[in-house]
């Protein structure tokens, strides 16, 4: 199969959210600490009525219904997550309820677990399946679903929740550029979940690993690009858009500025305003922590207009919903489709997917007009209601957020309860929710 990639994309975030402006006041931190310092606007959270399984059910059903895909047309279904509710039973098996009902149980794939990278691993393997001799002509679906929740402290404002579903197949409007994918896998203890509800996280180390890995991958991606295209890769002219794993928006701003700086150094185009920091041999300060803070700041300001054009159009969901772990980078795709539509045709989208631990890839998608109009970008754009759904949410108070956290602590690994929050009336029509966890820890779901 040719031009394998993303045919359609949907994102789901819980209706319950708290604004960072309100959190700053509530937490007693200086004004601007979360909104400017972290670059975040809002954080989505779940009561005990929704969980990673219900979010996966909601977004998967939404993808099938909205794009008129019959469950019979799907031959592979994989889930990327790092917040599974069971150490043995995959979230994929819960999703099978909607396929089983339609009479289709012949569906390969299970869950992919590796921090925020599980979704990307699933996308790459789904694309490999469609391109392989094992492919039987049906679609692949990849669902990413996560709740990110940190203990009280500096990491808590980077919590979030959400899910993304992607339809993968040939003749895609956003096709993967095969052969250009660069990967880095290594061992680090920057973020992990050895026990309990909360991750063990070394914030500064995780930021270091994120940026350092990105540096490595840019060089690797550029080398593959050069070999394949017979010319040097130039971020500014060769990548029309760039999507990043987005733990918080400030890191995305810094990451993009850093990539642009590498580009300027490589092509000998460091502008006068930044030249006092640049090294004569064209190399850049390494490791990332050694990059002078004032250079980082000057860089972010310097590339602001380019950021506005190439990055901002895909950052709204992450800024308003927080870290969605596996779904984070992929939440940018439906948004890019909504903001840019058919203008994406002929454009390259550079992707940087990072998972702590470490696993990461840099790869690219190319926008194109598919032969079959079913998944044309203009059509996908016309059907999108993402900005409207984001705007429709009514903010909750920081006290409500705290109450939800207390519930999450109580419910962690618990059985024999009926969820309390939020009221079913508060859920959007079509949302799946948890009805009960019985005494044998079996989870029962229903749809509003
Ligand atoms: N107004 C404006 N900016 C402010 C204010 C203010 N009043 N107060 C502080 N700031 C700025 C700081 O100057 C700093 O800016 P800089 O990054 O440009 O230097 C920024 O806010 C962050 O403040 P810090 O004190 O440096 O860091 P903080 O203690 O807030 O912690 C951290 C940030 C480490 C990211 C924390 O939130 C965390 O641990 N998060 C979870 C881990 C994470 O997300 N890692 C990312 C990659 S891995 C992953 O996805 C899990």
């Amino acid at each position: 199969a040719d031009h394998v990639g993303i045919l359609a994309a949907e994102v789901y975030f819980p209706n319950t959210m708290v604004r960072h402006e309100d959190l700053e006041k509530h937490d007693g931190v200086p004004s601007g600490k979360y909104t400017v310092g972290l670059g975040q606007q809002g954080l989505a959270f779940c009561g005990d009525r929704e969980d990673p399984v219900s979010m996966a059910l909601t977004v998967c059903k939404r993808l099938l219904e909205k794009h008129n895909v019959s469950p019979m047309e799907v031959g592979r279904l994989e889930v990327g997550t790092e917040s599974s509710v069971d150490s043995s039973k995959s979230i994929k098996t819960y999703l099978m309820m909607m396929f089983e009902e339609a009479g289709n149980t012949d569906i390969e794939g299970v869950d992919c677990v590796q921090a925020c990278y599980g979704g990307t691993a699933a996308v790459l393997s789904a694309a490999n399946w469609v391109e392989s001799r094992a492919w039987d002509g049906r679609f692949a679906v990849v669902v990413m679903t996560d709740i990110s929740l940190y203990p009280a402290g500096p990491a808590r404002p980077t919590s979030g929740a959400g899910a993304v579903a992607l339809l993968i197949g040939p003749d895609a409007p956003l096709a993967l550029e095969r052969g250009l994918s660069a990967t880095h896998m290594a061992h680090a203890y920057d973020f992990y979940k050895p026990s309990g509800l909360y991750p063990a996280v070394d914030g500064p180390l995780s930021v270091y690993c994120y940026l350092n890995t990105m540096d490595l991958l840019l060089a690797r991606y550029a080398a593959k690009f050069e070999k394949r295209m017979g010319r040097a890769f130039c971020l500014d002219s060769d990548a029309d858009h760039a999507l990043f794993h987005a733990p918080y928006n400030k890191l995305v701003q810094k990451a993009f500025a850093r990539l642009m700086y590498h580009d300027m150094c490589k092509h000998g185009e460091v502008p006068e305003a930044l030249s006092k920091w640049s090294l004569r041999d064209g190399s850049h300060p390494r490791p990332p922590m050694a990059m002078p803070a004032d250079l980082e700041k000057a860089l972010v300001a310097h590339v602001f207009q380019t950021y506005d054009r190439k990055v901002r159009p895909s950052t709204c969901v992450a800024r308003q919903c927080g870290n969605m772990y596996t779904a984070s980078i992929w939440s940018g795709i439906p948004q890019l489709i909504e903001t840019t539509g058919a203008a994406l045709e002929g454009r390259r989208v550079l992707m940087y997917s990072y998972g702590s631990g470490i696993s990461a890839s840099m790869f690219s998608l190319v926008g194109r007009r598919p032969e079959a109009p079913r998944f044309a970008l203009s059509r996908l754009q016309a059907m999108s209601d993402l900005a409207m759904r984001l705007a429709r949410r009514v903010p909750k108070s920081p006290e409500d957020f705290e109450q939800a956290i207390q519930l999450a602590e109580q419910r962690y690994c618990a059985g024999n309860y009926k969820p309390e929050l939020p009221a079913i009336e508060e859920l959007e029509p079509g949302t799946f929710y948890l009805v009960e966890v019985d005494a044998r820890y079996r989870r029962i779901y229903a749809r509003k």
Side-chain angles (χ1 to χ4, degrees):
D2 289 330
H3 305 296
V4 174
I6 299 166
L7 298 164
E10 289 297 325
V11 63
Y12 171 75
F13 35 81
N15 230 353
T16 33
M17 59 85 71
V18 59
R19 295 186 318 163
H20 277 91
E21 203 182 320
D22 297 337
L23 274 182
E24 281 172 353
K25 291 192 192 106
H26 175 264
D27 295 354
V29 299
S31 158
K33 168 97 175 107
Y34 302 159
T35 46
V36 180
L38 297 175
Q40 288 298 108
Q41 294 173 334
L43 173 170
F45 62 95
C46 292
D48 58 349
R49 188 119 24 220
E50 289 188 87
D51 66 13
V53 176
S54 71
M55 291 197 298
L57 285 163
T58 303
V59 80
C60 186
K61 189 78 168 176
R62 200 183 156 82
L63 179 83
L64 299 184
E65 283 184 349
K66 209 160 153 204
H67 300 280
N68 215 2
V69 175
S70 152
M72 299 302 288
E73 289 182 280
V74 177
R76 189 178 180 90
L77 171 63
E78 264 180 275
V79 177
T81 187
E82 57 166 296
S83 15
S84 193
V85 294
D86 193 292
S87 312
S88 170
K89 186 173 161 58
S90 65
I91 291 184
K92 190 264 178 82
T93 56
Y94 289 96
L95 295 179
M96 281 310 297
M97 287 188 286
M98 68 183 80
F99 294 91
E100 232 180 311
E101 205 175 74
N104 181 10
T105 58
D106 178 15
I107 302 184
E108 285 184 358
V110 284
D111 287 7
C112 248
V113 181
Q114 191 359 78
C116 306
Y117 186 77
T120 298
V123 169
L124 297 178
S125 78
N128 289 345
W129 176 70
V130 176
E131 281 192 346
S132 77
R133 283 172 57 208
W135 188 50
D136 62 5
R138 292 184 291 167
F139 296 123
V141 170
V142 173
V143 176
M144 299 88 174
T145 180
D146 272 308
I147 294 175
S148 112
L149 189 59
Y150 291 94
R156 179 157 284 173
T158 66
S159 301
V164 168
L166 303 176
L167 190 69
I168 310 278
D171 189 25
L174 287 172
L176 279 159
E177 281 198 288
R178 307 303 269 166
L180 287 188
S181 175
T183 290
H184 174 66
M185 301 261 171
H187 169 59
Y189 272 131
D190 57 330
F191 170 108
Y192 47 109
K193 289 183 184 159
S195 67
L197 174 65
Y198 299 119
V201 58
D202 180 336
L205 178 65
S206 71
V207 172
Y208 168 85
C209 292
Y210 176 104
L211 293 173
N212 191 45
T213 300
M214 186 187 74
D215 285 357
L216 279 174
L217 289 183
L218 176 66
R220 243 168 241 180
Y221 175 91
K224 292 192 182 192
F225 185 98
E226 204 162 321
K227 204 167 161 197
R228 203 182 162 103
M229 310 287 187
R231 62 180 173 85
F233 173 70
C234 173
L235 177 69
D236 201 17
S237 54
D238 287 320
D240 303 282
H241 298 278
L243 267 61
F244 296 81
H245 168 55
Y248 51 97
N249 183 253
K250 183 71 161 289
L251 187 57
V252 172
Q253 293 174 37
K254 286 182 183 184
F256 179 69
R258 198 174 171 83
L259 286 184
M260 287 293 288
Y261 186 60
H262 287 311
D263 216 38
M264 294 171 206
C265 291
K266 183 172 155 187
H267 298 287
E269 290 165 359
V270 178
E272 191 61 33
L274 301 173
S275 59
K276 74 169 165 156
W277 289 285
S278 61
L279 307 178
R280 270 180 206 291
D281 63 359
S283 68
H284 48 84
R286 266 179 191 271
M289 288 313 157
M291 181 178 259
D294 52 349
L295 167 58
E296 198 173 61
K297 217 170 166 174
L299 267 175
V300 169
H302 182 77
V303 304
F304 188 75
Q305 282 183 340
T306 322
Y307 173 90
D308 245 15
R309 206 172 62 244
K310 293 184 194 279
V311 187
R312 192 182 298 281
S314 58
T315 56
C316 224
V317 176
R319 270 186 295 143
Q320 295 191 29
C321 298
N323 197 347
M324 300 176 168
Y325 290 156
T326 52
S328 168
I329 180 170
W330 296 102
S331 74
I333 293 289
Q335 209 187 334
L336 193 60
I337 292 173
E338 178 170 297
T339 53
T340 319
L344 283 169
E345 286 170 11
R347 293 193 189 171
R348 177 176 288 112
V349 183
L350 187 72
M351 310 280 289
Y352 173 50
S353 175
Y354 175 79
S356 293
I358 296 172
S359 52
S361 294
M362 188 174 283
F363 53 98
S364 44
L365 301 162
V366 168
R368 56 182 290 279
R369 182 170 301 187
E371 277 165 36
R374 183 179 182 189
F375 300 113
L377 286 160
S378 53
R379 196 157 181 267
L380 299 180
Q381 183 184 36
M383 287 198 293
S384 188
D385 61 352
L386 186 43
M388 211 175 65
R389 282 192 289 130
L390 275 174
R392 222 170 28 212
R393 300 175 306 166
V394 180
K396 296 275 182 188
S397 67
E399 289 74 19
D400 290 331
F401 178 43
E402 280 193 342
Q403 194 188 359
I405 295 171
Q406 274 171 16
L407 256 184
E409 287 175 355
Q410 270 173 38
R411 301 305 194 205
Y412 183 69
C413 289
N416 202 16
Y417 70 88
K418 286 202 166 66
E420 292 167 23
L421 290 173
I424 294 173
E425 298 76 66
E426 287 190 57
L427 302 173
E428 289 274 316
T431 307
F432 282 82
Y433 59 91
L434 185 62
V435 175
E436 100 170 274
V437 181
D438 75 9
R440 291 178 59 199
Y441 301 94
R442 291 176 301 191
R443 307 174 85 87
I444 295 111
Y445 294 90
R447 190 183 193 202
K448 186 180 168 187

